[in-house]
Amino acid sequence: MFNKILIANRGEIALRVMRTCKDMGIKTVAIYSEADKDAPHTKFADESFLVGEASVMKSYLNLEKIIEIAKENGVDAVHPGYGLLSENKAFSERCNENGITFIGPSTYSMEKMSLKVESRELAKSIGLPLVPGTNVIDNYDDLKNEAEKIGFPLMLKASAGGGGIGMEIIKNVESLEKAFKLAQSRAKAYFGNPAIYIEKYIEEPRHIEVQVFADNQGNFLHLGEKVIEESPSTFLTDELRKKMTDAAVAISKAVDYKNAGTVEFIVDNRTGEFYFLEMNTRLQVEHPVTEMVTSLDLVREQINIANGQEFSLKQNQINFKGHAIECRVYAEDPVKFMPSPGTITQLHLPDLKNFRIDGAIENGYTVTPFYDPLLAKFISYGETREEAINTMLKALDETKIEGIKTNIELHKKVLSHEEFKKGNTTTDFISKFVK
């Protein structure tokens, strides 16, 4: 087993990985920027090293400095968490070149799934259903012709995009040209790649994700679905669930996938048809809801697989029990959806049965403007969905975070809404039901 793992991340996910490492008897190495020198993850690790200035480009994305720290301090493996360098093929390659195990998929799998157009073609080749769309389009005349064939509304997407960045809904041809130029510009700025393609816009869709795992012994498994940070979905029938989880496993096999990943689908709320969207080649942000309903530690599974071991269970041994919900608590203005940096002057977090917090905050903690303002993930569990909702509402009621704005009240509005309780959680839920 690995003796020492460097966590190439910060905040709650760094702490989350470190806790499992410590449970396994593995030493941990933290990296931190000048802005994070007193952050909780730096104090929890066995060793901590300055990686650079406050700017994310000069610290947590400085892959050569991270490799240098790993080599100088006897690190066996690197866990990238999610975000930052977690899906960076160059970082994975540099780890491998220096004899350091990258805890994640191979560079081959990353490359195959990194560009959305190429991943669509791969999905098509193995028979997965796709939203009607195009390959990369680089001029307006071709765009207009294809748009008229597909029909409005449609969506412009960045081929190298992710996290919703570079996506724009177009409702008519009059707004197409301006939107196309803006989308190309944004794609170039955010991803270094201006490639744009279009898809038919599915109205009132449900966004559903399937957690997958694969080991080096040829075992490919799914760990159920997540929807709106919730598992299981209230929408899927057993038949549709099997089709989607089978599809997720199929595309994992098609790229010889290893370790943890998530396959994303979109479901037409009117017809029930589902379509492949993309694959995230990393541990998912929402992995705690999967852990709650399966009683598995997915970070432990990741580490074991990276060390050459099999997944701890076979597919028919995985039991899905109960219901889990996750709320991401952000330091943000809940009306403007803008970050709210500042210092936490008073903090009280709930301690409840069937409730878990993955966080990296403490009283006096300063939220800087340099990084994602995620404070913590609240995860509730219940034998029924109603129990999970009630536990989460109680936890949110008991939480006190002062000195900064948070989105806690927004979560309470969503969870208390009758449409949410009915399971009517389409992607436009907030704009339709929450004022």
Side-chain angles (χ1 to χ4, degrees):
M1 179 47 71
F2 304 121
N3 293 313
K4 189 185 289 188
I5 292 177
L6 182 149
I7 294 83
N9 217 302
R10 63 176 300 280
E12 67 85 17
I13 187 57
L15 275 171
R16 162 70 190 91
V17 174
M18 288 175 193
R19 290 189 182 101
T20 288
C21 288
K22 293 206 171 189
D23 286 346
M24 299 176 73
I26 301 170
K27 292 182 179 179
T28 57
V29 175
I31 56 172
Y32 63 92
S33 69
E34 290 177 354
D36 270 346
K37 59 184 176 64
D38 296 318
H41 77 278
T42 68
K43 293 176 275 189
F44 191 81
D46 295 301
E47 301 172 69
S48 297
F49 299 95
L50 178 67
V51 74
E53 300 173 25
S55 163
V56 71
M57 293 301 297
K58 296 180 179 179
S59 54
Y60 297 107
L61 292 179
N62 186 348
L63 63 89
E64 291 301 333
K65 180 63 176 177
I66 295 171
I67 294 293
E68 178 185 316
I69 291 171
K71 288 172 62 180
E72 289 178 353
N73 293 281
V75 165
D76 302 302
V78 167
H79 195 301
Y82 55 74
L84 297 176
L85 294 171
S86 63
E87 297 181 272
N88 188 300
K89 183 170 72 75
F91 182 52
S92 172
E93 287 175 340
R94 293 292 288 127
C95 287
N96 294 335
E97 289 167 4
N98 285 278
I100 300 166
T101 300
F102 180 83
I103 301 176
S106 67
T107 55
Y108 169 79
S109 298
M110 278 190 191
E111 188 170 28
K112 282 291 186 181
M113 291 289 104
S114 63
L115 297 178
K116 304 301 180 287
V117 170
E118 281 78 353
S119 65
R120 277 174 55 89
E121 286 300 306
L122 177 63
K124 183 179 179 180
S125 72
I126 62 171
L128 268 60
L130 297 174
V131 177
T134 69
N135 289 325
V136 170
I137 296 177
D138 56 17
N139 68 81
Y140 177 68
D141 288 339
D142 288 344
L143 177 77
K144 184 180 178 183
N145 289 335
E146 292 296 332
E148 289 173 346
K149 290 179 186 176
I150 293 172
F152 294 91
L154 53 79
M155 187 173 285
L156 289 180
K157 287 189 171 185
S159 181
I165 299 172
M167 293 167 49
E168 187 167 352
I169 300 169
I170 309 299
K171 295 184 177 180
N172 53 60
V173 70
E174 289 75 21
S175 57
L176 188 59
E177 185 170 12
K178 181 180 178 181
F180 177 56
K181 291 178 180 178
L182 182 60
Q184 284 186 314
S185 175
R186 284 177 177 167
K188 176 68 174 176
Y190 280 104
F191 310 112
N193 184 340
I196 296 294
Y197 69 104
I198 58 176
E199 281 184 350
K200 177 69 178 174
Y201 177 63
I202 306 297
E203 299 188 67
E204 297 186 353
R206 293 177 184 258
H207 186 204
I208 294 180
E209 305 170 344
V210 176
Q211 183 84 66
V212 293
F213 261 85
D215 58 32
N216 292 289
Q217 286 73 31
N219 298 306
F220 290 83
L221 310 98
H222 72 82
L223 302 180
E225 81 283 354
K226 299 185 294 292
V227 54
I228 315 298
E229 298 167 22
E230 181 177 358
S231 183
S233 166
T234 60
F235 178 71
L236 296 186
T237 62
D238 289 343
E239 181 183 4
L240 185 54
R241 176 176 289 111
K242 186 176 189 313
K243 287 181 179 178
M244 293 178 74
T245 53
D246 285 351
V249 169
I251 199 160
S252 303
K253 289 181 177 179
V255 291
D256 193 26
Y257 200 80
K258 301 292 184 292
N259 219 275
T262 305
V263 183
E264 299 191 14
F265 299 95
I266 197 166
V267 183
D268 190 319
N269 196 38
R270 297 163 300 178
T271 67
E273 294 295 320
F274 76 94
Y275 307 97
F276 168 80
L277 280 182
E278 61 181 308
M279 184 176 191
N280 301 137
T281 53
R282 54 168 167 75
L283 184 69
Q284 194 71 350
V285 180
E286 301 86 4
H287 74 275
V289 296
T290 301
E291 293 184 323
M292 290 292 238
V293 298
T294 61
S295 299
L296 290 166
D297 181 334
L298 300 192
V299 173
R300 180 185 289 267
E301 298 291 349
Q302 281 193 292
I303 292 170
N304 284 336
I305 288 171
N307 193 49
Q309 298 175 39
E310 289 188 69
F311 195 87
S312 62
L313 299 172
K314 302 299 183 183
Q315 184 71 68
N316 61 5
Q317 296 174 315
I318 298 171
N319 294 315
F320 302 96
K321 183 180 178 183
H323 203 98
I325 293 175
E326 177 184 300
C327 289
R328 298 192 213 177
V329 178
Y330 279 94
E332 70 177 15
D333 186 313
V335 176
K336 298 178 180 178
F337 293 100
M338 295 293 290
S340 175
T343 300
I344 296 175
T345 57
Q346 189 171 353
L347 177 67
H348 173 75
L349 297 174
D351 182 12
L352 301 171
K353 183 181 178 182
N354 292 328
F355 179 74
R356 160 181 164 182
I357 297 175
D358 282 13
I361 55 173
E362 56 194 6
N363 203 23
Y365 177 75
T366 297
V367 180
T368 76
F370 301 109
Y371 317 114
D372 183 285
L374 177 65
L375 300 175
K377 294 184 302 198
F378 285 10
I379 309 99
S380 65
Y381 174 83
E383 291 187 11
T384 65
R385 186 171 185 262
E386 182 180 11
E387 285 182 16
I389 291 172
N390 290 339
T391 297
M392 182 64 77
L393 283 169
K394 184 177 181 182
L396 293 168
D397 279 337
E398 292 186 11
T399 300
K400 180 178 285 187
I401 304 175
E402 295 184 359
I404 56 173
K405 294 180 180 179
T406 74
N407 63 343
I408 286 176
E409 290 302 316
L410 177 63
H411 284 303
K412 289 163 71 172
K413 286 181 181 179
V414 170
L415 290 164
S416 300
H417 201 285
E418 286 304 313
E419 293 300 317
F420 181 84
K421 290 179 180 179
K422 293 175 185 175
N424 293 333
T425 48
T426 55
T427 57
D428 58 352
F429 181 90
I430 296 289
S431 61
K432 282 177 66 176
F433 299 118
V434 181
K435 307 299 182 186

